[in-house]
């Protein structure tokens, strides 16, 4: 790593022990940093972005709170942007998990201890992040020509259930399983990787309202219900709208089908425990049910009421709701 990045990493190492800490759902400790609970590698990545990342107008940042549909959105953005480069029958999504095609921004910065890897990528760079919007530097968020963000949000009840299952798959065997009750308590308090969930969503929601050309805010439920509309919206926002010819030859429908839960979860590469990305977790761990409303099978009426209440309270008056 170059000297500048070394200095940033040194600052980060000095900062971490001074931050409030909490146990994580899977591996890393969580640190409370600028209002969010973030694993140390995420803080390191965020500080490297702040100090050294040079955005390009063509950059596309795929932003999510974990378990809101990162895998799906990565697949959709990759296939929309690269639709003229590959045939669906022999598509990269049939050979690689979406996280190998849209790289985990802060994860790669952390691994390389510098921005060198992302600096070397050819445009358009597709980068995926879990970092909250407020953690990005103003040269990325305020400059309309700097880069664009696409965000997908999801009903917190489904996010919680998805995350609880995921945590128990990823937790090291030495640790006891995370009970639903304990996990629920943590989630409600906002102690959750990149949480609080509500603040994360709200940051991107407000940015999308303020700068609709900079941030596209999608909801998992809406894209599930009308995937064709969702894909058209994404393509328009990314400034590569579908041509009438593409509409006629079913390109939009092909992308929807290729990226669907059924299609992706049935690719051999995604049935495996291969850890094809930069963070732990086998490929198959990212596919469970892919449905809207599975929370009814897991949450007690009290839990539902509590989550709904928090959501209402946190989002009151913002125009953002579920
Ligand atoms: P469930 O646990 O509810 O099934 P992330 O990709 O952000 O980690 O989120 C994982 C969630 O998205 C899981 O939800 C997973 O099943 C679902 N998912 C994965 N691929 C999907 C796809 N192509 N379409 C819809 N949902 C998908």
């Amino acid at each position: 790593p170059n000297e500048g990045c070394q200095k940033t990493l040194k600052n980060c190492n000095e900062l971490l022990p001074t931050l409030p800490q909490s146990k994580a759902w899977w591996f890393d400790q969580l640190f409370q940093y600028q209002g969010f609970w973030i694993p140390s590698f995420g803080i390191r990545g965020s500080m490297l972005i702040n100090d050294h990342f040079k955005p390009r107008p063509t950059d596309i940042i795929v932003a999510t709170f974990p378990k809101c549909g990162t895998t799906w959105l990565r697949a959709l953005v990759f296939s929309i942007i690269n639709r003229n480069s590959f045939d669906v029958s022999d598509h990269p999504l049939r050979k690689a998990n979406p996280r190998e095609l849209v790289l985990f921004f802060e994860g790669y910065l952390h691994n390389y201890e510098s921005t060198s890897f992302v600096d070397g990528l050819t445009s358009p760079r597709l980068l995926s992040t879990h970092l909250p919007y407020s953690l990005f530097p103003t040269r990325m968020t305020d400059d309309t020509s700097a880069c664009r963000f696409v965000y997908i949000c999801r009903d917190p009840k489904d996010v919680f259930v998805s995350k609880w299952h995921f945590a128990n798959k990823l937790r090291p065997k030495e640790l006891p399983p995370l009970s639903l009750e304990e996990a629920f308590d943590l989630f409600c308090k906002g102690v959750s990787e990149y949480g609080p969930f509500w603040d994360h969503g709200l940051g991107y929601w407000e940015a999308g309202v303020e700068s609709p050309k900079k941030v596209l805010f999608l909801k998992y439920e809406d894209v599930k219900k009308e995937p064709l509309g969702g894909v058209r919206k994404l393509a328009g926002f990314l400034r590569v709208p579908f041509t009438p010819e593409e509409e006629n030859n079913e390109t939009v429908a092909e992308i929807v089908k290729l990226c669907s839960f059924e299609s992706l979860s049935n690719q051999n590469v995604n049935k495996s425990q291969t850890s094809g990305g930069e963070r732990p977790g086998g490929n198959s761990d990212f596919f469970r049910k892919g449905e809207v409303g599975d929370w009814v099978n897991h949450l007690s009426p009290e839990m539902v009421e509590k989550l709904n209440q928090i959501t209402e309270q946190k989002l009151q008056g913002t125009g953002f709701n579920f």
Side-chain angles (χ1 to χ4, degrees):
N2 66 37
E3 230 171 86
C5 292
Q6 285 288 15
K7 188 155 179 271
T8 302
L9 293 170
K10 186 168 166 274
N11 290 344
C12 183
N13 287 341
E14 283 169 9
L15 174 73
L16 286 174
T18 70
L19 299 175
Q21 295 183 28
S22 175
K23 67 183 218 176
W25 290 44
W26 37 86
F27 308 96
D28 313 282
Q29 199 76 8
L30 296 179
F31 295 84
Q32 198 174 32
Y33 178 64
Q34 302 194 15
F36 291 89
W37 288 100
I38 304 182
S40 61
F41 82 89
I43 299 177
R44 221 167 274 134
S46 165
M47 289 176 78
L48 285 167
I49 292 170
N50 255 287
D51 291 355
H52 307 288
F53 179 68
K54 294 181 207 75
R56 300 178 196 159
T58 48
D59 286 341
I60 297 165
I61 317 284
V62 174
T64 57
F65 184 87
K67 312 329 286 176
C68 285
T70 318
T71 308
W72 193 16
L73 191 58
R74 279 171 164 166
L76 289 170
V77 169
F78 179 87
S79 45
I80 289 169
I81 292 291
N82 295 297
R83 64 184 185 266
N84 295 322
S85 310
F86 306 106
D87 196 81
V88 274
S89 62
D90 185 36
H91 198 276
L93 281 168
R94 301 198 187 279
K95 286 165 258 167
N97 180 273
R99 62 182 163 163
E100 294 171 73
L101 305 172
V102 178
L103 303 178
F104 189 24
F105 198 2
E106 56 270 24
Y108 271 83
L109 296 190
H110 159 77
N111 282 356
Y112 281 82
E113 300 193 330
S114 78
T115 55
S116 63
F117 184 79
V118 287
D119 291 342
L121 295 174
T122 51
S123 299
R125 294 184 293 192
L126 310 184
L127 298 164
S128 167
T129 189
H130 290 317
L131 293 172
Y133 194 69
S134 56
L135 260 62
F136 284 98
T138 50
R139 66 180 184 281
M140 288 175 77
T141 56
D142 287 7
D143 179 354
T144 42
S145 66
C147 58
R148 267 157 304 153
F149 292 83
V150 293
Y151 187 81
I152 191 159
C153 199
R154 189 180 186 189
D155 182 331
K157 298 189 286 302
D158 281 335
V159 176
F160 166 68
V161 167
S162 179
K163 189 176 157 90
W164 176 68
H165 281 284
F166 187 73
N168 279 319
K169 275 188 212 156
L170 256 65
R171 267 164 92 85
K173 296 287 162 271
E174 311 82 81
L175 291 181
L178 182 66
S179 74
L180 190 76
E181 289 70 24
E182 190 186 350
F184 187 76
D185 193 44
L186 288 170
F187 191 82
C188 288
K189 287 187 188 138
V191 184
S192 167
E193 281 72 6
Y194 304 88
F197 164 84
W198 300 271
D199 307 55
H200 199 279
L202 201 49
Y204 283 94
W205 165 265
E206 285 171 346
V209 170
E210 202 171 299
S211 323
K213 288 192 174 139
K214 162 76 59 187
V215 180
L216 176 69
F217 188 98
L218 298 170
K219 286 185 184 161
Y220 184 97
E221 294 76 17
D222 294 345
V223 185
K224 262 284 195 202
K225 203 160 134 201
E226 283 197 44
L228 291 167
V231 168
R232 286 190 192 109
K233 210 184 219 183
L234 265 168
F237 175 80
L238 298 173
R239 293 191 221 124
V240 285
F242 293 100
T243 61
E245 199 187 349
E246 284 177 314
E247 289 283 354
N248 284 339
N249 69 16
E250 308 251 308
T251 304
V252 193
E254 272 176 2
I255 290 176
V256 166
K257 196 168 164 211
L258 176 69
C259 298
S260 68
F261 180 84
E262 291 65 33
S263 150
L264 290 189
S265 60
N266 278 308
Q267 306 298 334
N268 283 333
V269 65
N270 293 326
K271 287 184 184 166
S272 80
Q273 268 295 309
T274 311
S275 182
E278 62 308 309
R279 295 294 295 160
N283 288 348
S284 60
D285 295 335
F286 292 85
F287 302 90
R288 192 181 62 93
K289 282 192 165 177
E291 284 170 8
V292 170
D294 185 45
W295 57 265
V296 294
N297 300 312
H298 294 89
L299 304 186
S300 68
E302 293 75 31
M303 287 173 160
V304 174
E305 198 187 318
K306 181 154 182 201
L307 265 186
N308 285 345
Q309 232 173 41
I310 297 175
T311 303
E312 208 184 296
Q313 192 192 333
K314 285 262 198 180
L315 305 185
Q316 206 175 38
T318 64
F320 167 35
N321 53 43
F322 288 94

